[in-house]
Amino acid sequence: MITEHRDFQLRPYNTFGIEARAAEFIDYTDARDLSDIFPLAGVARWLHIGGGSNLLFTRDYDGLVLHSSATGVEVVAEDDETVDVRACAGLGWDDFVSMCVGRGWTGAENLSLIPGEVGASAVQNIGAYGVEACDLIRRVETFDTENRCHRTFGVGECGYSYRDSRFKHERQYIVTHVTYRLSKQFKPDLSYGNLSSILAGQEDRLTPAALREAVIGIRRAKLPDPEVTGNAGSFFMNPVVSEDKYRQLLSVYPSMPAYKVAGGVKLPAGWLIDRCGWKGRSLGRAGVHPKQALVLVNLGGATAEDIMRLAATIEADVADKFGVAIKPEVNYI
Ligand code: EPU
């Protein structure tokens, strides 16, 4: 079913809670509807959104905004050890994780409570506490808006890397379904940060539900709830610098955390921003979260200009102090 609106308020469709209007808005409940929606007659441009948890509307959108309300889930393959679950793009990501944990399908617990929808998990390659969506994804089904046909990509064809995929760049593909492989045997990944210390002593009797609760507890303690305080999670990506640059910084900042990755060393942008003194500070109605400097928040009534000005000031300060360029993870629309 297709539902069309004109001059539509996008505030409930972005977790920053920014006021912006779309000239047209279409919500659809079945991926097959896309063949009726495309090609678009007389539409200047279009944008497909998910939960709106990774974007910033910088002005009214003078085209068509599309959203899927398809939320179905089905098991498409199963053996003694694993289960392949195909979920529709419009299903809330955490609803999916919760359902998996409830049915004893494990692997997604570390990704609990990440805002957004199933479709975006595959576009954005969401990640937390040592697990990324691409670790679970088997297949991504899309609608190719240029050729007006459905096209399926195996995980190896999706171009996954840190918070990146081909779907972020090849915008003609709309993700319609994602198939994840979950495990029936619980092999918890407690490698990240304080997860193992929080669960210390429980290793032998740890359950997927307890791991999910621990992750939810960490997130609730560190990250603002978008229902209460508008935000889009990490505003910036963690930058990767060369080994030389890392050694040079380490000699000045011996306590700087860092992670070795392919192509260099990843630095936590939150740490860099924190050391610039931004944690808990604000500019206009936009602020830096007091418990995690990577998260910019709408203090109430912020405009996109407020957020962009704060982001640009932080970027400039980090570049000045550390000589490191940080880039937004959030998409400016
Ligand atoms: N740190 C500070 N000050 C801060 C924030 C962080 O000193 O204000 C330090 C921490 O002490 C720690 C390091 O920086 O040593 C890393 O911090 P944290 O463990 O909070 O992780 P992160 O690198 O800041 C990333 C993801 C998060 C994800 C966490 C946990 C990115 C851009 N962000 O944050 O993802 O939840 O790891 O895996 O990769 C999101 O994408 O929206 C998001 C919240």
Side-chain angles (χ1 to χ4, degrees):
M1 193 175 77
I2 297 172
T3 313
E4 290 187 69
H5 304 268
R6 288 195 185 273
D7 190 23
F8 189 74
Q9 176 57 260
L10 294 168
R11 190 159 173 235
Y13 285 86
N14 73 99
T15 58
F16 256 124
I18 298 287
E19 302 252 353
R21 302 193 81 83
E24 275 186 76
F25 185 91
I26 289 182
D27 187 87
Y28 61 95
T29 54
D30 191 314
R32 285 168 295 194
D33 294 335
L34 288 167
S35 314
D36 297 328
I37 297 170
F38 286 88
L40 301 164
V43 169
R45 54 191 191 129
W46 62 272
L47 163 76
H48 199 292
I49 60 168
S53 53
N54 203 43
L55 49 80
L56 178 65
F57 288 116
T58 59
R59 58 177 74 87
D60 289 341
Y61 191 76
D62 63 354
L64 166 68
V65 175
L66 288 156
H67 179 258
S68 167
S69 286
T71 57
V73 179
E74 59 180 327
V75 171
V76 290
E78 188 166 11
D79 63 21
D80 290 347
E81 286 167 9
T82 62
V83 53
D84 288 3
V85 186
R86 177 179 184 256
C88 291
L91 178 64
W93 170 257
D94 193 57
D95 294 336
F96 174 73
V97 178
S98 167
M99 182 208 69
C100 289
V101 169
R103 300 202 186 169
W105 304 333
T106 98
E109 302 80 27
N110 294 33
L111 305 178
S112 291
L113 212 64
I114 293 182
E117 296 172 356
V118 158
S121 79
V123 176
Q124 190 65 22
N125 190 20
I126 57 172
Y129 310 108
V131 176
E132 286 186 322
C134 66
D135 300 333
L136 307 171
I137 290 172
R138 304 296 298 168
R139 264 187 311 285
V140 178
E141 291 165 63
T142 67
F143 180 73
D144 176 349
T145 57
E146 274 174 17
N147 297 302
R148 295 187 66 219
C149 61
H150 292 267
R151 180 168 168 194
T152 300
F153 297 87
V155 65
E157 299 172 294
C158 296
Y160 282 127
S161 62
Y162 168 60
R163 296 290 196 279
D164 203 13
S165 76
R166 73 184 297 167
F167 311 115
K168 252 176 116 163
H169 309 284
E170 297 173 46
R171 302 305 293 213
Q172 85 251 34
Y173 299 113
I174 293 175
V175 173
T176 60
H177 302 85
V178 185
T179 300
Y180 307 90
R181 176 162 293 176
L182 284 310
S183 175
K184 293 182 180 174
Q185 275 138 27
F186 184 39
K187 295 186 211 91
D189 182 343
L190 308 180
S191 56
Y192 191 93
N194 52 350
L195 206 45
S196 56
S197 55
I198 286 173
L199 293 163
Q202 286 189 50
E203 291 86 351
D204 296 343
R205 51 197 161 81
L206 184 63
T207 62
L211 176 52
R212 172 171 161 77
E213 283 313 308
V215 169
I216 288 175
I218 298 174
R219 291 189 71 93
R220 288 223 166 105
K222 270 198 186 174
L223 300 169
D225 177 356
E227 298 282 329
V228 180
T229 307
N231 77 92
S234 298
F235 193 90
F236 299 98
M237 285 197 271
N238 287 334
V240 175
V241 299
S242 68
E243 294 272 357
D244 279 356
K245 176 73 187 173
Y246 169 62
R247 274 194 292 272
Q248 179 204 328
L249 285 172
L250 196 64
S251 65
V252 188
Y253 306 100
S255 65
M256 181 177 69
Y259 319 96
K260 187 113 190 48
V261 293
V265 181
K266 194 191 274 181
L267 305 178
W271 186 91
L272 300 170
I273 298 166
D274 196 352
R275 288 308 170 281
C276 288
W278 271 109
K279 205 166 174 168
R281 276 176 57 200
S282 58
L283 205 57
R285 301 303 305 149
V288 179
H289 188 54
K291 293 182 190 153
Q292 164 55 291
L294 198 50
V295 178
L296 304 192
V297 295
N298 177 352
L299 295 169
T303 60
E305 282 74 31
D306 286 331
I307 311 259
M308 287 191 290
R309 195 156 57 97
L310 175 60
T313 311
I314 290 172
E315 278 174 47
D317 280 4
V318 169
D320 271 0
K321 188 172 170 73
F322 298 103
V324 174
I326 55 169
K327 292 201 190 77
E329 183 189 334
V330 168
N331 298 311
Y332 290 14
I333 309 291

